[in-house]
Amino acid sequence: MTDDHPTEAPPSPLPSGAAVTGTEPDDPAAGSGLGARQGNGGRVRTRVPAIVWWMVALHVTVLGAYSILLPTFRAPDEAQHVDLAHFWSTDFDYPAWDDRLVADGVRNAEGQLRPRSRSAHLTAQAARPKDERASFEQLDEVPIPNIRNQLAQHPPLYYIVAGTAERATEVVIGDPDFVVETWFYRLVSIAMVAPLPYVIWRASRLLELPEPVAVGAMLLPLAFPQYLHIGASVNNDNLQYLATWLMAPIVLRVARGDLAWRTMALAGVLSGIGLLTKAFAFVIPAWMACALLLVLLRQGRAALPGVVRAGLVYAVPAMALGGWWWVRNVVVYGSLMPTRYFDLVEHLPRGDFDPLDYMGRWISVTVRRVWGDFGYFDTHIPSTAVTIATTIAAVTLLVGVVGRDRVAGTKSGDRLLLLVPLPLLMAMQLQTALRTYLDSGQYAALQGRYWFGALAPAAILISLGAAKALGWLWRWLPLVVLAAIVVMQGLALSTILGFYWGAPGSAIADRLRAVVAWAPVPGELVGVAFAAGAIVGGAALVEIGRVVRRGGRRDVVQTDPEPAPLS
């Protein structure tokens, strides 16, 4: 990897009046000075600009809307995820990979949502009154043929967090009905992905991105309806996403020479959290290895002892918190991730393997499921929109990575490092899907959600690439991203309302009444939430307008911190 150096100083990402007076080497997100202030005794305090909190609030608002718009259990394997979380909340236990049957209560609850019709065209008249809904415990009393819950193959941390939070809430509010309990687990998932704009800001601050570019990156996840759908559903992906995203500013610090024990220990803790959640978190230690390799490329062989020590500090908490799960699987079961999946699915006959045909299907279906394929792949946004969005995202991502950066002066090594998790996740997803096809003939695991662990760094690169492509108009980037969000969310809302809610051909008012009738909370609360969301959206638009007016002018003198010592 080589580093590009700008011929002139990049514009500041700071709002007017912000000041930078120093940095703290052990702060894994320190670097550009965005929002930093000198505190008493020379210690640096980080002041987070208001725009960041409004981006987080907007993010949570849209996620909250998706948690209501999608019917209960209409997300990939949501009933099985709920079953494991509910099992933990009840017994504080986690089953062996081959020893869990979906509870009768969960199976009976799922039956009330018309799974055979994919919950299509739910009407207000067909909704059970909210005060007559049963809890999982009540529904457990009705026997029903069980099925295996193969999701016990995953590590338990997501279910421990969600189930423990539900149990604590249940102490206060009592035993909720199954719709409310499932929605509560959805809210736990939202809490896990809510920090995404903040994480993007932290990494943008390190890269010293101009403010419009950083804001564009924080907005960009809202242009991915599929991500919002998964982020607002019960799914262990969400905790794995968070652990991976939080590594973005840390790997940038490490690559610049910050090998302090606190930085490496924090990275190890996040890696352990990810590894105790899902196998796709294996990209995290691979990403850290790339960051340490970049240190060696930048500083030479003299850095090798420090890099080795840092790697050991990193490995201890990573292994102690999450790595042990996978070692235990190999030792006890003889497999990294033993599964009942192949015992449960129908094995389909297939002809000779055609790699080109399979790759074509893999990329086309997976990419569609990156943008908007809702429920158990019940309905999706138009293919034309998927093609256009994919083309724009791929081109701007490439532009953001290659060539000299005359917008922010970022180094090519840093940009390549941010790119690393995306191809790794794509490769892991392809390997999983291909193995499933070869073993069973099933076109399974073609799921774009497996790529979203790279959303934080990818959003930064796409935003930077878009700014480079816009040339002197890059200060308007947040408005361009907003326009893309409006288009993609309009298509998603039309698709969701048209498939799930109201009788075919019914008016929009009837569809919205159906949403409220089936919602986990009373209509009055839905109305209050809508009003609060409108306020958040309006305030966020005002802040974005201020960013565009400020542009990227340089308001303060910035200094790049010295790397932390290698010892």
Side-chain angles (χ1 to χ4, degrees):
M1 298 180 184
T2 59
D3 291 338
D4 299 327
H5 298 280
T7 55
E8 58 183 4
S12 169
L14 296 172
S16 299
V20 177
T21 55
T23 56
E24 184 179 5
D26 285 339
D27 176 5
S32 71
L34 178 56
R37 284 181 175 176
Q38 186 75 32
N40 293 333
R43 188 175 180 83
V44 170
R45 290 183 299 143
T46 299
R47 180 181 62 80
V48 182
I51 183 67
V52 177
W53 299 125
W54 284 116
M55 292 298 97
V56 171
L58 182 63
H59 196 64
V60 171
T61 297
V62 180
L63 285 163
Y66 270 77
S67 75
I68 300 292
L69 282 170
L70 272 297
T72 303
F73 301 136
R74 294 322 294 178
D77 300 321
E78 187 168 48
Q80 288 90 331
H81 288 296
V82 168
D83 176 62
L84 290 176
H86 180 73
F87 180 63
W88 178 270
S89 74
T90 303
D91 297 343
F92 291 114
D93 193 13
Y94 194 72
W97 66 274
D98 59 349
D99 191 33
R100 179 62 184 168
L101 298 174
V102 178
D104 289 345
V106 175
R107 292 275 287 154
N108 284 314
E110 190 177 14
Q112 296 187 16
L113 273 297
R114 302 179 183 175
R116 291 181 182 272
S117 67
R118 298 181 294 172
S119 299
H121 304 301
L122 300 173
T123 64
Q125 293 76 17
R128 187 184 299 269
K130 291 177 172 56
D131 58 359
E132 296 180 11
R133 292 171 179 165
S135 67
F136 285 123
E137 284 75 13
Q138 291 171 320
L139 293 171
D140 260 331
E141 298 174 3
V142 182
I144 187 174
N146 290 115
I147 59 173
R148 290 272 177 193
N149 189 344
Q150 83 279 4
L151 295 189
Q153 68 195 10
H154 294 299
L157 187 55
Y158 173 85
Y159 310 105
I160 291 173
V161 173
T164 302
E166 195 282 330
R167 182 66 173 270
T169 304
E170 196 172 299
V171 171
V172 178
I173 67 172
D175 193 17
D177 67 67
F178 77 89
V179 177
V180 171
E181 182 167 340
T182 300
W183 186 59
F184 178 83
Y185 295 135
R186 287 184 172 186
L187 296 182
V188 172
S189 287
I190 290 174
M192 291 174 179
V193 299
L196 177 57
Y198 176 79
V199 174
I200 291 173
W201 168 73
R202 298 285 281 192
S204 299
R205 176 171 167 252
L206 270 171
L207 295 169
E208 301 185 25
L209 296 184
E211 194 179 18
V213 181
V215 171
M218 286 189 283
L219 282 170
L220 200 59
L222 299 181
F224 289 80
Q226 185 75 18
Y227 154 68
L228 296 164
H229 170 35
I230 299 302
S233 67
V234 188
N235 198 302
N236 62 352
D237 286 325
N238 293 302
L239 184 54
Q240 179 248 315
Y241 295 162
L242 177 62
T244 310
W245 296 338
L246 288 170
M247 289 295 294
I250 294 178
V251 295
L252 288 172
R253 286 287 297 177
V254 169
R256 296 178 179 192
D258 180 3
L259 304 182
W261 73 267
R262 282 190 295 175
T263 302
M264 302 309 300
L266 175 59
V269 168
L270 292 175
S271 300
I273 290 172
L275 290 170
L276 199 57
T277 303
K278 196 155 188 170
F280 281 98
F282 275 106
V283 303
I284 302 178
W287 199 8
M288 176 56 70
C290 291
L292 293 173
L293 177 62
L294 188 53
V295 174
L296 290 175
L297 292 176
R298 285 172 166 173
Q299 300 187 9
R301 293 182 60 183
L304 182 59
V307 167
V308 171
R309 287 194 296 270
L312 292 174
V313 172
Y314 165 78
V316 170
M319 182 60 67
L321 292 176
W324 66 269
W325 174 272
W326 306 97
V327 174
R328 186 206 64 153
N329 279 353
V330 172
V331 172
V332 176
Y333 303 118
S335 174
L336 191 65
M337 192 171 81
T339 180
R340 294 297 299 269
Y341 176 82
F342 296 105
D343 300 329
L344 302 176
V345 300
E346 179 185 2
H347 287 251
L348 302 177
R350 62 174 180 84
D352 294 335
F353 177 58
D354 184 342
L356 291 180
D357 178 73
Y358 182 83
M359 291 299 292
R361 184 181 292 249
W362 167 71
I363 195 64
S364 62
V365 176
T366 303
V367 165
R368 187 182 75 216
R369 294 173 181 174
V370 166
W371 294 103
D373 200 337
F374 305 109
Y376 274 97
F377 318 121
D378 304 326
T379 184
H380 57 81
I381 63 176
S383 297
T384 301
V386 171
T387 301
I388 294 172
T390 301
T391 301
I392 294 173
V395 169
T396 52
L397 178 69
L398 182 63
V399 172
V401 173
V402 303
R404 185 181 293 274
D405 176 12
R406 298 186 183 278
V407 172
T410 57
K411 297 178 180 180
S412 61
D414 289 341
R415 300 196 301 273
L416 288 169
L417 185 61
L418 289 178
L419 181 65
V420 164
L422 180 58
L424 290 179
L425 287 168
M426 293 172 68
M428 287 188 69
Q429 181 251 336
L430 173 59
Q431 185 274 334
T432 302
L434 182 57
R435 176 200 168 198
T436 304
Y437 175 72
L438 294 176
D439 287 352
S440 69
Q442 295 275 359
Y443 287 99
L446 304 180
Q447 304 204 36
R449 63 188 170 99
Y450 295 149
W451 298 3
F452 290 144
L455 189 53
I460 293 171
L461 294 172
I462 291 172
S463 184
L464 179 59
K468 292 166 69 174
L470 286 172
W472 63 274
L473 295 173
W474 61 263
R475 66 178 293 176
W476 300 95
L477 178 60
L479 299 184
V480 174
V481 178
L482 273 178
I485 291 171
V486 169
V487 171
M488 296 301 289
Q489 292 302 327
L491 292 171
L493 184 62
S494 174
T495 300
I496 292 168
L497 289 177
F499 183 88
Y500 293 112
W501 302 111
S506 58
I508 185 67
D510 292 333
R511 298 185 187 278
L512 293 176
R513 276 192 287 269
V515 172
V516 173
W518 289 83
V521 295
E524 294 81 1
L525 285 181
V526 175
V528 170
F530 178 82
I535 293 172
V536 168
L541 286 175
V542 170
E543 288 295 326
I544 292 168
R546 289 173 177 167
V547 168
V548 173
R549 285 197 302 272
R550 284 196 295 266
R553 70 175 183 265
R554 189 173 182 81
D555 297 307
V556 298
V557 176
Q558 290 182 286
T559 58
D560 199 32
E562 292 295 326
L566 296 179
S567 58

